Amino acid sequence: MLKLFEREQLNLAKLPEEQTAIEVRDLCLRFGDKHVLHNITMRIPKHRITALIGQSGCGKSTLISCFNRMNDLIDNSVTEGEIIIDGRNINRKKENLSVLRSQVGMVFQRPNPFPMSIYDNVCYGLRLQGIKQRRQLDDAVERALIEAALWDEVKDRLFESATTLSGGQQQRLVIARALALKPSILLLDEPTSALDPLTTLIIEELMADLKKRCTIVIVTHNMQQASRVSDYTAFLHQGELVEYSDSDTLFTLPEKKQTEDYITGRYG
Ligand SMILES: Nc1ncnc2c1ncn2[C@@H]1O[C@H](COP(=O)(O)OP(=O)(O)O)[C@@H](O)[C@H]1O
Ligand SMILES: [Mg+2]
């Protein structure tokens, strides 16, 4: 039988350090006295797309937000365990969060362009880093918009407000804003759930292209999407990592009964 998607399969449990983008060791997280993540241990491979799936409330957004310490913004959050990115534990006290968040970009469900021009949106982070040279900004804006597959649609209207763009264009703009900072990891939290099917397809194709540049972690409640776009899939249930393997195996031959029940729609 002809296999459409030949995927190289890595051994996730023994993934060598040089192929690991994120190593999670015994990660626990609680909000106040509510325990949300329990002893998560996993290695997320470089230049691959890894999907996080599971019922609403199981901790997908919380887990992905640990990868650039967005949970720090929540007052009562307490994190234990280590997350190794680029050879360092990003949970350490002295971690520089603005550097971390430029290395690990994040895109949310609702496109959130800033109320300013398309151009200013894309170079927002670069300006915060103190880059002022027009030429340098122009080049970075063009590059990021090309990488986000949006350049052709906006190159003649860069100075129009970002709010004039369609939802799908806004989502690609937000991706371009993250890409301008040359992140090594891109976190996408249900990036297409507010978009129509056609626009969703454009974003999925974009992801497949972007993994050449960075590692992608995507939260999705859409299992078709997870099996279509991701190389690896992690299934979470009530804050525990139940099963994590290459997506072909997880969706066709899951090891655990809980995973099977979820992917066959017995609950969820
Ligand atoms: N700021 C918060 N304070 C308290 N509990 C929270 C907070 N954010 C999320 N939670 C709880 O943590 C659990 C996991 O939430 P979340 O990570 O958003 O789930 P998912 O993205 O899988 O739907 C849920 O029970 C949710 O109610
Ligand atoms: Mg969520």
Side-chain angles (χ1 to χ4, degrees):
M1 197 176 81
L2 182 73
K3 218 168 162 238
L4 282 179
F5 299 99
E6 205 65 59
R7 286 165 169 158
E8 174 210 8
Q9 295 182 358
L10 303 167
N11 181 343
L12 294 172
K14 292 192 183 141
L15 199 63
E17 210 176 289
E18 63 274 14
Q19 288 183 44
T20 305
I22 306 173
E23 182 182 353
V24 184
R25 289 186 194 155
D26 252 335
L27 181 70
C28 297
L29 186 144
R30 58 188 162 85
F31 294 119
D33 52 15
K34 186 178 161 77
H35 290 256
V36 174
L37 298 176
H38 306 276
N39 302 89
I40 307 274
T41 292
M42 67 191 296
R43 287 167 181 252
I44 295 178
K46 276 186 183 163
H47 294 287
R48 297 290 187 278
I49 301 178
T50 298
L52 306 179
I53 64 165
Q55 277 172 293
S56 179
C58 72
K60 304 179 294 296
S61 295
T62 305
L63 177 57
I64 205 173
S65 303
C66 286
F67 301 155
N68 68 351
R69 299 240 332 234
M70 289 296 277
N71 292 309
D72 281 29
L73 302 174
I74 300 168
D75 274 351
N76 62 350
S77 75
V78 179
T79 308
E80 286 165 57
E82 297 186 342
I83 298 173
I84 316 292
I85 293 177
D86 251 349
R88 67 184 194 278
N89 175 18
I90 64 151
N91 282 345
R92 64 194 181 145
K93 275 211 176 68
K94 64 172 186 187
E95 180 68 12
N96 180 327
L97 296 185
S98 54
V99 170
L100 174 68
R101 288 172 191 156
S102 62
Q103 285 176 344
V104 186
M106 189 157 194
V107 172
F108 302 92
Q109 178 173 356
R110 297 250 154 231
N112 61 344
F114 302 140
M116 50 182 78
S117 71
I118 294 168
Y119 184 97
D120 288 343
N121 260 278
V122 181
C123 56
Y124 188 84
L126 295 170
R127 283 188 170 134
L128 280 184
Q129 291 180 350
I131 296 169
K132 293 195 187 85
Q133 272 187 320
R134 186 57 194 237
R135 180 66 196 279
Q136 207 180 341
L137 293 174
D138 285 353
D139 289 348
V141 167
E142 180 171 346
R143 183 187 55 81
L145 287 169
I146 290 172
E147 287 177 3
L150 187 58
W151 175 248
D152 289 337
E153 290 159 65
V154 301
K155 61 175 189 283
D156 301 320
R157 49 189 287 207
L158 292 175
F159 299 97
E160 284 177 30
S161 168
T163 53
T164 62
L165 298 171
S166 71
Q169 289 173 326
Q170 289 187 9
Q171 198 60 310
R172 280 177 285 150
L173 177 66
V174 172
I175 293 173
R177 190 173 67 198
L179 293 175
L181 298 170
K182 300 201 170 150
S184 56
I185 299 167
L186 193 58
L187 309 174
L188 307 169
D189 191 352
E190 307 213 23
T192 63
S193 54
L195 305 176
D196 62 73
L198 205 67
T199 314
T200 295
L201 204 66
I202 294 174
I203 303 272
E204 288 181 1
E205 282 172 358
L206 172 61
M207 280 188 257
D209 191 45
L210 285 179
K211 74 175 177 181
K212 290 179 217 139
R213 291 191 185 85
C214 50
T215 299
I216 296 179
V217 186
I218 178 179
V219 168
T220 176
H221 64 252
N222 180 333
M223 280 181 279
Q224 281 76 29
Q225 178 168 68
S227 64
R228 252 192 327 262
V229 306
S230 69
D231 301 293
Y232 298 92
T233 298
F235 169 59
L236 298 174
H237 183 67
Q238 295 179 353
E240 291 187 29
L241 179 62
V242 174
E243 190 160 348
Y244 176 38
S245 69
D246 66 275
S247 302
D248 292 339
T249 304
L250 192 127
F251 286 105
T252 54
L253 280 174
E255 227 171 65
K256 306 261 169 68
K257 173 93 171 44
Q258 263 178 331
T259 315
E260 188 182 345
D261 285 350
Y262 181 71
I263 62 171
T264 54
R266 265 192 275 267
Y267 64 91

